[in-house]
Amino acid sequence: MSSSDNPSYNYTHHGIKMSRFTQKVVSSVDSTTAGVALRIVATTTNQDTDQSFLEVEYLTLDGSRKRRLIAREYFRTPTKVADQLLKAGARLSNPVPEVKAALASSNGVPHYTTTGRTGWHQDSFVLPTETIGPLAGKLRFDGSLAPDPALGMRAGTLKKWRRGLRAPYSKSDYLVLGTSLAAASTILGLIGETEGAIFHLHGLSHSPSNGVTKENSSSGKTTVGRVTMSAIGRADKNDLMTFDLTGRGAEELCFAHNHLTMGLDEEGRAHGHSSSSRISAFHLPYMVAGGRGAFRSAKAAADPALRNLTWALFAISTGERPLDGRAVARPEGQQVRQIALPVPSGAEGGIFNLIDGCGDEVLLTARALAAQTEETIASNYGMALGAFVSKLCSEPREEVTARINKSLAAFVRKVEAGEPWEQRFARKFAIVYAAAALMAKFGIAPWKRGRAWTALVNLHRIARSALLNHQVLTDAVVSKLRKAVREGEFPVVKKGASIEANDSLGMTRKLNRKSCLLIRKSRIQSLVRPQTGTEMVLQELTKRGILLKGSDGKRTALIMINGKRKRYLCLDKNCLMH
């Protein structure tokens, strides 16, 4: 029996494990089972709980054949097994003797192992529907603790999924990120990374003409979450989990999605459980990204339902409100574990942030792309990750790992993440980029590596800028510039005079009767920490009247230095110093 033939199972209240997905139905005219109402076809052990089961095949009332897992201890009392099989629709004329006969003839049946933990197990990868690698047919997924009914469901084809999403991907950096998260979770195990992250898509506040601040909705945030989940299963609107989770529920959800990905929709809907039982929004990112649930004593963990669980994954979440308010910012540890990504309003294209045009033209295009996305994932899902893992396992492990690490290093260099926290923050996006690049190489996703690079670099900039306070950043740069002026870092250079290369920050010159500080953009960028905030600082300097625009309306002005025209930022010295 191959791993792809095996359904996943759920416990019932009486020890019989029911199929999570499509039941395996065996033809009633199968020559190997014809005339046999009941037989035991395999034994199985769950390696997570050390519990063992017998896989029973039986004839049903409608003439088909089905299979169930029944805990081995129930066979000590054959009447219990018979009662449960009858309840499940088994056609047994003499139930108890038939159960005894099946048990007596079960010697020599094959044995396989199950696990509720998806992802890498040595050199094999366990998916909800199959195991890929050397353990195929030997280790299978057991969905007993998986609270996600859509996990592993399949429909349509990978080709139609890829083709239908090609146009939406071309206009949305957010969809590229979301689709890559499942593959990114997969490669966490290849590079020995245990900390994942939640990418949180949220709306942007705006102030309409009446002065009332509103939260933007209908921007496509949930659509990104659904596209993310379509890589590993069904992705209907009601298939996304909400933040309404107990602590244990969140642990089991993460465990069942290990090295896959997870979607949480509508942060504001966390209201079903009492405040004492529901996991707090503050602790959720630490638990999900940290990869470990609550640690329980040996006595408590002896209960299979309370055992200690670990995992590693990337997740996506959505909500209307920004995670970082104007008055209070989250701790840096939380910011790097749940990364806030603002999404433009629906009127501006929402998740389709690359649409050219303005006004109604953008809105109409975004709606058409959203409709195409919805139509595609409604009938095509659950194929992408299996195809990705198959390609991944066919490649030499050392070569794949080297390629991933090269991508990570290149990305971190590109975004100029120098400080340790900046590197840690950038690495989250770098891993997603490395996964997206591999998806392009394997032909899983309809984009080129360059498209993935642009999307992830852009989203890193957006996310990092969302954490910055432009007032504080600008004040720090102004302070550094004032100090540089006092220390002679802006020597006076008269018009027409030649200057020698030196280590000065810039120069001072009269322009339109104003004493101006001339500085190259790269030099002022070196004063901004983090450098991601450079654009915000330049905007604020302009707003304060310190940065002067050139005669052509551009932020930089052409200045003749040593017989060559070069572009400099021009700062009003008097305004800066006072």
Side-chain angles (χ1 to χ4, degrees):
M1 182 188 305
S2 70
S3 61
S4 60
D5 292 331
N6 179 62
S8 296
Y9 299 88
N10 275 338
Y11 284 108
T12 69
H13 295 297
H14 302 284
I16 291 184
K17 304 187 81 182
M18 310 295 288
S19 174
R20 168 173 293 277
F21 310 119
T22 304
Q23 299 281 4
K24 173 166 182 174
V25 179
V26 184
S27 170
S28 59
V29 297
D30 190 328
S31 61
T32 64
T33 60
V36 180
L38 178 68
R39 68 175 187 143
I40 295 170
V41 296
T43 62
T44 178
T45 302
N46 187 297
Q47 68 178 22
D48 308 323
T49 63
D50 289 329
Q51 292 180 314
S52 58
F53 302 86
L54 298 180
E55 185 175 4
V56 178
E57 181 184 284
Y58 58 92
L59 185 67
T60 67
L61 294 173
D62 63 5
S64 63
R65 304 191 71 88
K66 293 183 179 180
R67 292 182 180 182
R68 295 286 188 275
L69 290 184
I70 303 178
R72 288 181 66 230
E73 63 266 24
Y74 281 89
F75 282 84
R76 293 184 301 175
T77 310
T79 54
K80 288 185 177 180
V81 177
D83 288 345
Q84 292 304 313
L85 287 171
L86 289 172
K87 186 177 181 180
R91 181 188 293 180
L92 302 177
S93 58
N94 200 356
V96 174
E98 289 179 81
V99 170
K100 291 181 178 179
L103 184 62
S105 61
S106 63
N107 292 332
V109 298
H111 177 82
Y112 62 87
T113 305
T114 63
T115 178
R117 190 175 193 263
T118 55
W120 293 106
H121 291 257
Q122 300 174 32
D123 290 333
S124 298
F125 196 95
V126 174
L127 289 162
T129 52
E130 63 181 321
T131 296
I132 298 173
L135 295 178
K138 302 175 183 178
L139 180 62
R140 307 176 185 179
F141 179 67
D142 172 8
S144 302
L145 291 179
D148 181 358
L151 182 62
M153 287 183 133
R154 292 180 174 180
T157 66
L158 176 61
K159 182 178 181 180
K160 291 180 180 178
W161 178 83
R162 183 171 55 237
R163 185 174 58 202
L165 293 175
R166 180 177 286 111
Y169 284 144
S170 70
K171 298 299 181 183
S172 174
D173 292 336
Y174 295 90
L175 286 179
V176 173
L177 168 83
T179 306
S180 304
L181 288 184
S185 297
T186 298
I187 67 175
L188 287 173
L190 296 182
I191 60 176
E193 184 71 57
T194 58
E195 183 183 80
I198 304 174
F199 289 87
H200 184 78
L201 309 187
H202 64 82
L204 286 172
S205 296
H206 68 289
S207 298
S209 57
N210 60 9
V212 179
T213 300
K214 299 175 64 178
E215 299 291 341
N216 290 334
S217 188
S218 302
S219 56
K221 301 182 295 296
T222 299
T223 299
V224 177
R226 292 176 58 203
V227 170
T228 299
M229 300 310 295
S230 73
I232 63 171
R234 194 181 64 190
D236 289 346
K237 290 182 179 180
N238 292 331
D239 288 329
L240 288 183
M241 296 292 175
T242 72
F243 280 69
D244 192 15
L245 295 167
T246 64
R248 183 61 184 182
E251 292 176 18
E252 293 176 0
L253 188 65
C254 291
F255 183 75
H257 289 74
N258 176 61
H259 291 160
L260 303 181
T261 188
M262 188 172 70
L264 296 172
D265 192 30
E266 297 299 339
E267 181 268 339
R269 288 171 57 188
H271 56 72
H273 295 93
S274 65
S275 58
S276 60
S277 64
R278 186 177 66 237
I279 188 169
S280 71
F282 179 85
H283 289 105
L284 183 65
Y286 288 97
M287 189 202 74
V288 174
R292 180 180 294 275
F295 181 79
R296 296 168 177 83
S297 66
K299 182 178 180 180
D303 183 345
L306 293 176
R307 67 191 189 277
N308 295 314
L309 304 176
T310 60
W311 56 83
L313 57 83
F314 282 107
I316 192 164
S317 63
T318 69
E320 292 302 324
R321 300 182 302 272
L323 296 175
D324 297 274
R326 294 183 178 180
V328 180
R330 295 174 297 152
E332 287 188 339
Q334 190 176 4
Q335 289 176 340
V336 80
R337 290 176 172 90
Q338 188 172 22
I339 299 172
L341 267 173
V343 178
S345 69
E348 298 172 297
I351 59 172
F352 300 104
N353 59 314
L354 301 181
I355 297 176
D356 296 325
C358 59
D360 290 343
E361 180 184 357
V362 171
L363 185 59
L364 291 174
T365 302
R367 286 176 177 173
L369 291 172
Q372 182 174 338
T373 302
E374 294 274 350
E375 182 180 350
T376 299
I377 63 175
S379 54
N380 301 276
Y381 51 79
M383 305 290 184
L385 189 63
F388 178 79
V389 172
S390 295
K391 291 281 190 179
L392 203 60
C393 289
S394 68
E395 298 274 321
R397 177 67 63 88
E398 296 78 11
E399 292 182 13
V400 172
T401 303
R403 186 181 299 118
I404 292 170
N405 288 327
K406 183 178 180 181
S407 294
L408 300 183
F411 190 94
V412 172
R413 284 196 306 270
K414 171 63 178 179
V415 299
E416 299 179 329
E419 300 171 2
W421 186 90
E422 295 291 345
Q423 292 182 3
R424 183 181 170 194
F425 186 85
R427 186 173 171 84
K428 308 297 184 183
F429 288 87
I431 294 173
V432 181
Y433 161 68
L438 283 175
M439 292 182 77
K441 180 180 185 295
F442 296 155
I444 306 299
W447 57 61
K448 301 292 186 181
R449 185 175 63 177
R451 170 75 184 100
W453 174 269
T454 301
L456 272 302
V457 168
N458 186 37
L459 291 179
H460 172 270
R461 177 187 58 78
I462 292 173
R464 189 64 190 93
S465 298
L467 296 176
L468 303 177
N469 185 312
H470 64 284
Q471 297 282 0
V472 173
L473 282 179
T474 306
D475 289 344
V477 171
V478 167
S479 178
K480 293 176 182 178
L481 289 170
R482 287 173 177 171
K483 181 180 179 182
V485 171
R486 289 193 294 267
E487 293 179 353
E489 290 293 314
F490 287 89
V492 176
V493 177
K494 295 182 179 181
K495 186 175 182 179
S498 62
I499 61 171
E500 298 179 358
N502 54 52
D503 295 329
S504 298
L505 199 58
M507 64 193 77
T508 303
R509 174 182 284 186
K510 284 276 189 179
L511 294 175
N512 298 325
R513 300 183 179 180
K514 285 187 176 181
S515 181
C516 295
L517 305 176
L518 305 183
I519 183 172
R520 299 300 294 272
K521 184 177 179 179
S522 59
R523 298 305 299 273
I524 204 168
Q525 186 176 21
S526 67
L527 302 178
V528 183
R529 289 292 182 273
Q531 292 187 352
T532 312
T534 300
E535 189 65 23
M536 297 174 65
V537 168
L538 294 178
Q539 290 177 2
E540 181 62 19
L541 289 174
T542 303
K543 183 178 178 180
R544 296 183 186 185
I546 296 175
L547 178 59
L548 306 175
K549 291 185 177 181
S551 58
D552 54 3
K554 295 183 178 180
R555 185 175 286 164
T556 55
L558 281 171
I559 306 296
M560 182 72 75
I561 301 292
N562 290 344
K564 295 182 179 179
R565 289 184 176 273
K566 295 183 180 180
R567 287 200 170 270
Y568 286 83
L569 295 168
C570 301
L571 309 179
D572 188 323
K573 182 178 179 182
N574 291 331
C575 188
L576 173 73
M577 301 305 291
H578 298 92

